[in-house]
Every structure is written in structure tokens, then in C-alpha cells.
Amino acid sequence: MNNQQNKIQYPTDMCIITTYRCPMRCKMCDIWQHPTEKIKELQPKELEILPDVKFVNITGGEPFIREDLDEIVEVLFTKSPRVVVSTSGWFEERIIKLAEKFPNIGIRISIEGLSQKNDELRGRQGGFDKGLRTLLTLREMGVKDIGFGITVSNNNSEDMLSLYHLAKQLGLEFATAAFHNSYYFHKYDNQITNKEEVISNFEKLIAMQLKENSPKSWFRAFFNNGLINYIEGNRRMLPCEAGLVNFFVEPYGDVYPCNGLEEQYWKESMGNIRQVQSFAEIWESEKAEKVRAMVRKCPKNCWMVGTASPVMKKYIQHPLRWVVRNKMNSLLGRPLCLERKWYDVGQDPEQGNLLKK
């Protein structure tokens, strides 16, 4: 089947879930209770079938539990100029060793709060110290694409602001998320209950990001406004195009549009890379088109960077107007305009509208 003939858009982003094995015991994620079998996990050579993209995220479980992670990274750097590994930071020496071999690698360490709160939420003592120490070492090595991210839940949004200041002082990237329910996390009871406090802290973060001189931070402020929108339970501000602009590969080879699926709504694979001779067989298949049709009607209002970032870039005019308006407000000392608007770009109005279900 010819891509030009059927006009199927090829993805710009992909996420490789290398394993569901994990040393952490996170409160908001039960992956560690459902580990994959090491012997059955995808081998580096099997990833050679994947397409060329602009960005690759390697995640888990804990990717650094894989002793062959360097071989995986080597393959993925042939697929994309930018490869970022999301990690708990638990395996300090392995992270440093990988960065020595691949100086252009991106590393994002999950830190869920200051020392006590992080270790409480991640279920292992010493996790904060390991993560921060690793980042400082990477910084001294001159690795540029490094930072940490926080998944905001009920009791750590205030710490988010402290971590933001720490990131700015150290010159590190700072990413945010809010906890979600999905098959991937094996969690269905993640729910922010102290919404007013969490939203207030996100609004403070947005105000600080808009004061920065970095356009990247201004667009992160827009993303964080989308997280407030998600927490409030509103439909997605921008469409989800999972399975079109991005995809996830699970440790045993199944290709899913995203990692936010729940079986109570729907969950269906686009295919398995172990069962085809080329990635096009999956991407251009009737099965994949069926999954895309389900995405277009998906009721979940997820707002995760893996599916939000590609559509923010694709429909840049909407985030851009928001950024220009609020950057001007910030410069002039006027109140920010943080309305949560649904941007109509032709998507099905029922998509991301969980309240209607």
C-alpha cells in the first residue's frame, strides 16, 4: 500500500515502553505489581522496524533496569535526532554511563516533591537524593538535555512550586503532569480531590513561567493551563490525535495509540511489530484505521505531554494566541486570562468529553 496514495499521515513522535519491571513502589502507579518477563521483552534489533520520527521517548517501568538499554538507545538514535529517557533516577551509575556513551541523550528524572514527599509517594527511601545527585552529575558532565518532572497528585502541588524554583536555579528542564487512570498505570482510582489548592498552585506556576524570557516556558504555561482544564473535568482543549501523530510500543511489541486507554471505555492494539515485516503494515492497516476512528470518539479527556505536545505544535495558532495575550498581560502587570477554551479544529465534539458518558 502506497503512503502517498492513501494519504495516511506518518507519526512525528513515538514512545517505547522498554519494560514494566520497576524498583519503585509509587502510590499513583501500580506498574511494579505487573512486571513483564525479562526474556519476553523486545530486543534492540526488533526496534529497527520502527519509522523515522522527530522525537523518541524511552520509558517503562524503569528503563534502566534493562541491562541492554545502551543498545536500545543506539537503535533509536538511527530513528530520531532526539531521544529522551524517562527514569526514576534509581540506577545512578547506569544513567551516568549511558550519558558518557551518548552525550546528546535526554534524561528526565521523575521527582514527585521535596525529599520527604518524593520518597513517600515513590515508595523508596533515598529516591530524591539519588535523582538530584544524578542530575547534578549530568550537569557537571555538560549534558544539555536534562531535567526532572513531577506528577501532581493530591498532596504535592505546593512542592511543585519549590521544585520549579530549584530547576530554574540549576538551569534544568522542568516538566509537569497530573496523575491519570489507565491500563498502563494499572490505576483506576487516581482522582484529585483538593482541586482548589492544586489549581491555585498551577496558576502560580503559570504566572512564573510567563515571566520567564523563554518561549518554551510560555508554551509550557499553556500546557499547564490544559492540566487545570483536565483537573476540572472539562473536555480537551485541543484534539487527541493519538495513533496518527504519535504511538506507543509496549514491551512485548504491541502498538497502541497512547498509554491512557482504559478497558472500561476501550483498549485496542493497532498491531504487533513482531508479526509484520514493515511498520507500514501496521500503520496503514484497516486495524490501525479502526483504532484511529475510536480515538476520534474517545471520551477520555487526558492531557498528557505525549499526546498534547504534538497537537500543540500542529495547531500552533491557538496556543500562540494564548501565549501572546498572556505574555502581554504579564509584562503589563494585568491579570492573566486563564479561561479553558475548547478549540474547534474540526474534531468530533464528543471526543474528550468524559462528562457526557
Side-chain angles (χ1 to χ4, degrees), residues 119-130:
D119 292 358
E120 172 194 334
L121 290 174
R122 296 192 71 80
R124 294 293 298 269
Q125 291 299 309
F128 178 87
D129 294 347
K130 281 176 173 284

Side-chain angles (χ1 to χ4, degrees), residues 97-305:
K97 190 175 180 180
L98 186 74
E100 288 173 345
K101 186 173 181 179
F102 302 99
N104 293 329
I105 194 73
I107 300 290
R108 293 293 181 275
I109 295 181
S110 297
I111 296 180
E112 310 306 342
L114 299 177
S115 181
Q116 183 177 348
K117 180 59 65 177
N118 175 81
D119 292 358
E120 172 194 334
L121 290 174
R122 296 192 71 80
R124 294 293 298 269
Q125 291 299 309
F128 178 87
D129 294 347
K130 281 176 173 284
L132 183 57
R133 188 162 52 231
T134 300
L135 285 169
L136 292 174
T137 303
L138 292 169
R139 183 169 172 262
E140 289 174 7
M141 290 168 58
V143 181
K144 302 297 184 185
D145 194 358
I146 57 173
F148 53 85
I150 180 172
T151 298
V152 174
S153 51
N154 287 314
N155 302 306
N156 66 343
S157 65
E158 188 173 355
D159 278 16
M160 170 181 69
L161 302 178
S162 299
L163 290 174
Y164 166 80
H165 288 299
L166 178 61
K168 293 299 107 184
Q169 289 293 321
L170 295 175
L172 302 175
E173 299 289 333
F174 182 67
T176 51
F179 67 0
H180 286 68
N181 295 315
S182 80
Y183 83 94
Y184 173 77
F185 304 113
H186 295 275
K187 289 290 285 185
Y188 304 99
D189 60 353
N190 282 335
Q191 183 179 3
I192 290 178
T193 53
N194 57 334
K195 292 183 179 181
E196 287 187 11
E197 178 186 351
V198 173
I199 289 171
S200 173
N201 284 324
F202 266 116
E203 288 175 344
K204 292 173 185 175
L205 176 62
I206 289 169
M208 290 187 289
Q209 289 175 319
L210 287 167
K211 288 183 184 297
E212 292 186 47
N213 294 323
S214 165
K216 182 186 286 188
S217 294
W218 308 340
F219 284 94
R220 282 180 175 157
F222 176 88
F223 173 79
N224 286 325
N225 197 44
L227 283 177
I228 295 175
N229 181 69
Y230 160 74
I231 292 166
E232 290 177 334
N234 303 324
R235 59 182 173 179
R236 281 179 63 111
M237 292 164 52
L238 286 169
C240 178
E241 295 188 357
L244 189 66
V245 294
N246 67 283
F247 64 91
F248 282 70
V249 181
E250 284 211 307
Y252 295 159
D254 274 315
V255 177
Y256 284 97
C258 74
N259 65 338
L261 302 176
E262 291 183 65
E263 290 181 348
Q264 65 170 313
Y265 301 113
W266 70 280
K267 176 178 179 268
E268 192 158 335
S269 166
M270 302 173 79
N272 190 298
I273 65 172
R274 284 176 162 164
Q275 297 169 1
V276 294
Q277 297 299 310
S278 72
F279 188 75
E281 289 182 50
I282 293 176
W283 201 249
E284 299 176 14
S285 68
E286 290 182 9
K287 191 174 183 181
E289 189 49 46
K290 178 184 174 184
V291 168
R292 292 186 192 106
M294 296 174 81
V295 169
R296 289 192 287 270
K297 294 280 188 180
C298 182
K300 294 199 66 179
N301 67 334
C302 312
W303 190 254
M304 294 185 275
V305 69

